[in-house]
């Protein structure tokens, strides 16, 4: 639901939460506090209108109107523009869903633009307002809580992805036909996650410099922990990418190995079939020899002189035996029998 929420914080406490954005910003400057203006699921026209009222950089506004795949940080004079990418993991479909938080940051003002109901700003306000000492640090306190929310939220995402990678590793040595497809799909999700997390350590480092407490001359408390967690997340995501690349290589190797084994088995079968064909052909040829002789003498020609001789019949039988024995010897010598 479209909504514009404002709150003015002075000395760690909320002093007004019912003012229009421009009046909230003016009151924050007047009383040396800061205003948090949350634009929730607003359209582009609303963003442009509010940004103009609050004096935001037109270039930063243009950036906020387009979707991003990466966490970014940009400076525009005294203002900064930050994009954070909180992520959620749907284990059933094995998909990573990255939302987007756009943040306009100034000395007495922070404007957040969210377009997803998965980002609970009420929870963030509750966490902030329970720590007045944190709110005294100005807009950096909101920025810290947002960064804390995003980086801690990656833990559940990484655990879900890692669990699916473990399942894939177990499937690699099975015969599942969908393993390669699953690896490809999970690789795509991890790449999307890498787009969101890889720039995050640098973004938070530059943010820490921007949010340096002018009075104390130091970064906001806890910022180093958030930056270290972001570095850990980025390294863990890169490790997952390498693991999936290795899994795909191993799977391709195993598939090729199985194909080679099947080809080897097929070759053995073909060799055995060839041996059987040779034996059958040999015996067929041996059996054909007496049939050939008998068929010649069965043609009933009138002039066949040997038919009238007493040795004609033994000669025909001997010829049959001789041809069969000769063929048997030849085939045996060639290892066909």
């Amino acid at each position: 639901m479209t909504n514009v929420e404002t709150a003015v914080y002075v000395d760690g406490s909320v002093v007004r939460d019912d003012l229009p954005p421009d009046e909230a910003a003016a009151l924050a400057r007047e009383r040396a506090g800061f205003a948090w203006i949350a634009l929730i699921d607003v359209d582009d026209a609303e963003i442009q209108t509010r940004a103009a009222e609050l004096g935001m950089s037109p270039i930063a506004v243009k950036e906020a109107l387009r979707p991003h795949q990466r966490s970014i940080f940009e400076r525009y004079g005294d203002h900064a523009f930050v994009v954070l990418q909180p992520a959620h993991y749907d284990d059933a479909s094995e998909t990573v869903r990255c939302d987007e938080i756009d943040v306009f940051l100034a000395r007495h003002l922070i404007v957040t633009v969210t377009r997803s109901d998965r980002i609970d700003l009420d929870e963030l306000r509750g966490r902030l307002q329970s720590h007045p000492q944190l709110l005294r640090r100005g807009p950096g306190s909101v920025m810290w809580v947002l960064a804390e929310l995003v980086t801690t939220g990656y833990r559940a995402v990484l655990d879900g992805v890692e669990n699916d990678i473990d399942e894939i590793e177990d499937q690699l040595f099975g015969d599942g036909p969908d393993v390669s497809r699953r690896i490809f799909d999970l690789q795509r999700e991890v790449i999307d996650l890498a787009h969101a997390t890889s720039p995050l350590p640098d973004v938070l480092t530059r943010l820490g410099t921007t949010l340096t407490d002018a009075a104390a001359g130091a970064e906001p408390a806890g910022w180093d922990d958030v930056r270290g967690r972001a570095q850990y997340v980025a390294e863990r995501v890169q490790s997952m990418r390498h693991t999936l690349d290795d899994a795909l290589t191993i799977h391709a190797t195993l598939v090729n190995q199985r194909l080679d084994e099947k080809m080897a088995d097929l070759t053995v079968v073909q060799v055995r079939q060839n041996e059987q064909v040779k034996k059958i052909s040999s015996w067929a040829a041996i059996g054909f020899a007496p049939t050939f002789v008998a068929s010649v003498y069965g043609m009933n020609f009138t002039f066949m002189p040997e038919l009238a001789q007493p040795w004609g019949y033994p000669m025909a039988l001997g010829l049959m035996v001789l041809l069969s024995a000769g063929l048997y010897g030849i085939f045996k010598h060639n290892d066909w029998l």
Side-chain angles (χ1 to χ4, degrees):
M1 180 179 66
T2 300
N3 196 10
V4 179
E5 300 177 359
T6 66
V8 179
Y9 299 90
V10 177
D11 195 27
S13 301
V14 180
V15 295
R16 293 291 296 271
D17 60 1
D18 57 351
L19 295 174
D22 53 343
E23 294 182 18
L27 179 62
R29 287 193 298 270
E30 178 185 336
R31 300 189 57 177
F34 76 94
W36 179 8
I37 299 169
L39 305 180
I40 304 169
D41 198 23
V42 297
D43 57 24
D44 292 353
E46 180 79 11
I47 294 174
Q48 291 174 313
T49 299
R50 300 303 180 184
E53 291 176 353
L54 300 170
M56 297 291 103
S57 167
I59 301 177
V61 175
K62 186 177 180 181
E63 278 290 325
L65 296 181
R66 69 181 185 87
H68 300 82
Q69 290 184 325
R70 299 176 182 272
S71 302
I72 65 172
F73 172 87
E74 297 292 344
R75 287 291 301 268
Y76 302 99
D78 294 333
H79 294 171
F81 176 70
V82 183
V83 175
L84 298 178
Q85 299 274 331
H88 305 269
Y89 189 63
D90 185 350
D91 190 57
S93 60
E94 296 187 355
T95 55
V96 176
R97 299 179 180 177
C98 289
D99 298 314
E100 181 175 328
I101 304 176
D102 296 332
V103 183
F104 299 89
L105 193 62
R107 183 174 180 81
H108 298 288
L109 176 68
I110 182 168
V111 180
T112 59
V113 182
T114 56
R115 301 178 178 86
S116 171
D117 57 6
R118 287 190 292 268
I119 301 171
D120 190 350
L121 295 182
D122 291 335
E123 178 189 352
L124 295 182
R125 288 193 189 90
R127 292 171 62 179
L128 272 171
Q129 292 172 11
S130 64
H131 296 85
Q133 73 281 5
L134 185 61
L135 279 169
R136 292 189 182 96
R137 294 181 175 273
S141 60
V142 180
M143 197 69 249
W144 177 81
V145 171
L146 286 173
E148 178 81 5
L149 168 74
V150 171
T151 54
T152 55
Y154 286 134
R155 183 182 304 165
V157 176
L158 295 178
D159 289 344
V161 174
E162 196 166 68
N163 180 66
D164 290 330
I165 290 176
D166 290 341
E167 291 178 2
I168 287 175
E169 290 175 341
D170 293 337
Q171 287 181 311
L172 278 178
F173 297 96
D175 295 325
D178 298 329
V179 177
S180 58
R181 177 70 181 184
R182 190 179 183 189
I183 295 174
F184 274 122
D185 290 343
L186 202 56
Q187 269 186 326
R188 183 180 59 223
E189 301 304 319
V190 171
I191 288 172
D192 289 342
L193 188 59
H195 288 162
T197 58
S198 295
L200 197 55
D202 179 64
V203 166
L204 296 182
T205 297
R206 296 169 66 189
L207 260 174
T209 302
T210 300
L211 298 175
T212 296
D213 189 335
E219 287 185 349
W223 198 256
D224 190 58
D225 292 339
V226 174
R227 186 168 49 238
R229 190 181 303 116
Q231 184 65 43
Y232 166 76
V233 168
E235 292 174 355
R236 193 173 170 190
V237 171
Q238 291 302 319
S239 175
M240 288 178 176
R241 291 188 65 180
H242 294 319
T243 300
L244 288 170
D245 289 340
D246 292 342
L248 191 60
T249 301
I250 292 172
H251 179 64
T253 302
L254 291 174
V255 169
N256 289 333
Q257 182 179 349
R258 293 189 188 109
L259 288 175
D260 290 342
E261 291 173 354
K262 289 181 180 179
M263 290 299 296
D265 292 341
L266 182 60
T267 300
V268 170
V269 171
Q270 289 176 336
V271 169
R272 290 175 179 171
Q273 288 179 338
N274 290 337
E275 292 294 328
Q276 295 299 323
V277 169
K278 287 192 293 184
K279 289 181 179 180
I280 293 172
S281 300
S282 299
W283 285 113
I286 294 171
F288 175 74
T291 303
F292 173 73
V293 174
S295 64
V296 169
Y297 283 97
M299 289 188 290
N300 297 321
F301 289 111
T302 302
F303 299 102
M304 297 183 73
E306 64 272 20
L307 295 179
Q309 301 298 326
W311 46 264
Y313 180 69
M315 182 200 72
L317 292 178
L319 184 58
M320 292 179 186
V321 173
L322 182 62
L323 286 175
S324 296
L327 289 173
Y328 178 84
I330 294 173
F331 294 140
K332 192 69 174 178
H333 180 265
N334 292 329
D335 291 329
W336 282 36
L337 293 174

